[in-house]
Amino acid sequence: MKLREGVNASFGMSRGSGLCMRGFSSLPEPADPELAEIHETRNFAIIAHVDHGKTTMLDKLMTQCNEAVSEERAMDSNDLERERGITIQSKYTSFKWKGLTLNAVDTPGHADFGGEVERVLSMVDGCLLLVDALEGPLAQTKFVVSKALARGLKPLLVLNKIDRPSVTEERCIEVEQNLFDLFVKLDATDEQLDFTTLYASAREGIAATSWDKAQDLLKRKAGGEVLVDGMADLLDAVVESVPPPKGNAKDEFRMLVTMIERDAFMGRLLTGRITSGSIKVGDRVKALTCEGGEARDKDVEGRITKIFSRHGMARFILEDAKVGDIVSIAGLPSATVSDTICALTVDTPLPASPIDPPTIKMTFGVNDSPLAGREGTQLTGSKLGDRLKAEAESNVSISLQAAAVSGRKAS
């Protein structure tokens, strides 16, 4: 994967982006040169119950890798997420650690967005399971763990918020045992049951492989010391626990669309992990989908106009991308989540999780109330329609019809 020199395209995410050059180590050369770049990549997601600290943890991981993070919960970029204090849409970024590229995906924690978590897990090889050390595993914890285990992922357990006065070592042991029991009930394999546990405080920017070391880091932080390696144990554990992506760069190009977003200049951006082959700007591709268990060509062909990758809080334009990379591409405005973007010679789509159907339906009509027009500025039907169409460009839970809008209720 090559970055185009001197080009930093920051559309809506213009915060700084320094790449980490700390602590590079030499890696053993893989036997197959085609897989060399894959072995230098780790793809992982952060999963948890709502408000257990996923986005804050990702902020601290980026800071540890010398990525500029100008504000708290920087990955929660839209207004509704900041207003409600929760992650609604999955987002990804990458950073360097000891010569490796770590692609991290921040996922929603609310049960209403569980389907998106399930789709995101299809493009990673491991996950960090964050659990509040005081509250323990809750309802959404069970859901995300079941999906991770079903995909064969081995979660890396992180007991978060250990800086709370009421959190004790005994309580952490109890929570860890509860999670082990949960794994057993969910039919985890012996390998998945042998998970690694770390103790962390995302707010304070520390993580350690033992309770005593974590408490020592907290005391040093409280004493005013600037910790330069507060999250090093967690990053090392990610490198050790998450396997490198598998694939062959010589195969035909295929990528499963996992996330979509809209850019004012590029139009619809399709994000996913390249499962096989490689892609470069100007290549012709098509979209395949799977309906009723049968592959179907969507009769959508196009030319790749842009390839993007995120590093820290910035978006970079790429010249090309290879198997194992998580990228965003532009050029297919009608493709959507769960579609397979592939070379023109491919006729079999990748397995995909279905999109959850809408659970509520709303009809928008003329406001004939006596109070109509007395407050607000966006009052006309065309304004409302434009806003809903813009939301549908990046939110697969919304479908528009001529006279109604369907979606899923957020409690």
Side-chain angles (χ1 to χ4, degrees):
M1 179 177 67
K2 299 179 180 178
L3 289 177
R4 188 173 298 171
E5 294 184 4
V7 179
N8 177 351
S10 298
F11 298 106
M13 300 182 71
S14 57
R15 306 176 184 96
S17 63
L19 295 180
C20 173
M21 301 300 291
R22 176 211 309 258
F24 277 27
S25 62
S26 59
L27 296 173
E29 290 293 332
D32 185 353
E34 290 295 329
L35 301 179
E37 192 167 80
I38 305 177
H39 279 266
E40 297 172 358
T41 302
R42 298 293 187 274
N43 298 324
F44 70 97
I46 304 181
I47 59 175
H49 186 84
V50 63
D51 200 32
H52 277 197
K54 297 183 301 299
T55 305
T56 303
M57 178 66 72
L58 188 51
D59 286 350
K60 299 303 182 181
L61 290 176
M62 287 192 289
T63 302
Q64 178 70 68
C65 293
N66 292 341
E67 298 290 351
V69 179
S70 59
E71 55 186 321
E72 293 184 358
R73 297 176 55 249
M75 294 296 286
D76 286 346
S77 55
N78 70 50
D79 294 337
L80 185 58
E81 288 177 323
R82 293 193 173 280
E83 177 185 341
R84 299 181 63 179
I86 62 173
T87 301
I88 296 176
Q89 293 181 324
S90 297
K91 305 170 192 68
Y92 79 100
T93 188
S94 65
F95 36 85
K96 292 283 188 178
W97 178 253
K98 294 185 177 180
L100 298 176
T101 297
L102 305 185
N103 292 314
V105 184
D106 187 20
T107 64
H110 199 283
D112 287 336
F113 312 111
E116 185 160 349
V117 177
E118 186 176 2
R119 290 193 298 273
V120 165
L121 292 178
S122 68
M123 69 175 183
V124 298
D125 304 290
C127 60
L128 301 186
L129 173 62
L130 260 65
V131 177
D132 189 309
L134 184 61
E135 295 181 352
L138 299 178
Q140 186 68 357
T141 309
K142 180 178 180 180
F143 176 83
V144 296
V145 168
S146 67
K147 298 303 181 182
L149 295 179
R151 295 201 64 87
L153 304 181
K154 182 181 178 181
L156 177 62
L157 175 61
V158 181
L159 299 180
N160 194 26
K161 303 186 181 182
I162 64 166
D163 55 310
R164 292 182 176 181
S166 52
V167 176
T168 63
E169 184 176 9
E170 290 74 20
R171 174 55 183 165
C172 288
I173 294 174
E174 181 183 357
V175 170
E176 186 176 355
Q177 183 61 49
N178 291 339
L179 284 161
F180 182 88
D181 294 340
L182 176 60
F183 279 37
V184 172
K185 291 179 181 178
L186 295 174
D187 297 325
T189 64
D190 290 342
E191 183 181 3
Q192 290 171 327
L193 290 173
D194 187 24
F195 54 83
T196 302
T197 302
L198 288 96
Y199 306 85
S201 169
R203 184 176 63 178
E204 298 299 330
I206 67 102
T209 53
S210 69
W211 170 265
D212 292 337
K213 183 177 181 180
Q215 292 301 312
D216 179 63
L217 290 173
L218 286 174
K219 290 178 182 178
R220 289 163 56 189
K221 182 72 179 292
E225 181 178 346
V226 178
L227 301 177
V228 297
D229 58 352
M231 304 297 288
D233 280 4
L234 180 52
L235 288 164
D236 289 339
V238 168
V239 172
E240 182 178 350
S241 300
V242 178
K246 298 179 181 179
N248 193 327
K250 293 183 178 179
D251 291 342
E252 296 285 356
F253 168 73
R254 291 197 300 175
M255 183 188 86
L256 181 66
V257 180
T258 308
M259 296 180 280
I260 60 174
E261 60 181 306
R262 177 157 184 86
D263 183 86
F265 300 98
M266 297 292 103
R268 175 170 290 190
L269 299 181
L270 310 170
T271 299
R273 166 180 156 181
I274 300 178
T275 305
S276 63
S278 60
I279 190 72
K280 62 181 182 295
V281 174
D283 284 354
R284 292 197 63 81
V285 294
K286 67 178 181 179
L288 295 177
T289 189
C290 187
E291 294 182 356
E294 296 183 357
R296 184 175 69 85
D297 194 327
K298 297 188 70 174
D299 294 325
V300 176
E301 293 186 9
R303 190 180 300 274
I304 300 299
T305 57
K306 293 289 183 181
I307 305 175
F308 296 105
S309 178
R310 294 193 184 279
H311 293 270
M313 298 308 301
R315 182 191 294 163
F316 286 85
I317 298 177
L318 305 180
E319 295 179 353
D320 54 39
K322 295 182 180 180
V323 57
D325 294 338
I326 296 179
V327 296
S328 301
I329 62 175
L332 291 174
S334 59
T336 187
V337 168
S338 297
D339 287 350
T340 297
I341 309 302
C342 57
L344 299 181
T345 55
V346 175
D347 55 9
T348 304
L350 295 167
S353 301
I355 300 174
D356 296 335
T359 57
I360 60 174
K361 188 173 184 178
M362 299 179 64
T363 300
F364 291 81
V366 176
N367 187 351
D368 55 2
S369 165
L371 301 178
R374 296 195 178 186
E375 62 178 342
T377 56
Q378 308 297 329
L379 305 176
T380 63
S382 60
K383 291 288 187 180
L384 294 176
D386 291 343
R387 178 64 184 90
L388 290 171
K389 289 177 182 177
E391 181 66 19
E393 283 289 331
S394 59
N395 190 340
V396 295
S397 66
I398 290 181
S399 62
L400 300 180
Q401 300 174 1
V405 177
S406 301
R408 287 195 291 276
K409 180 180 179 182
S411 58

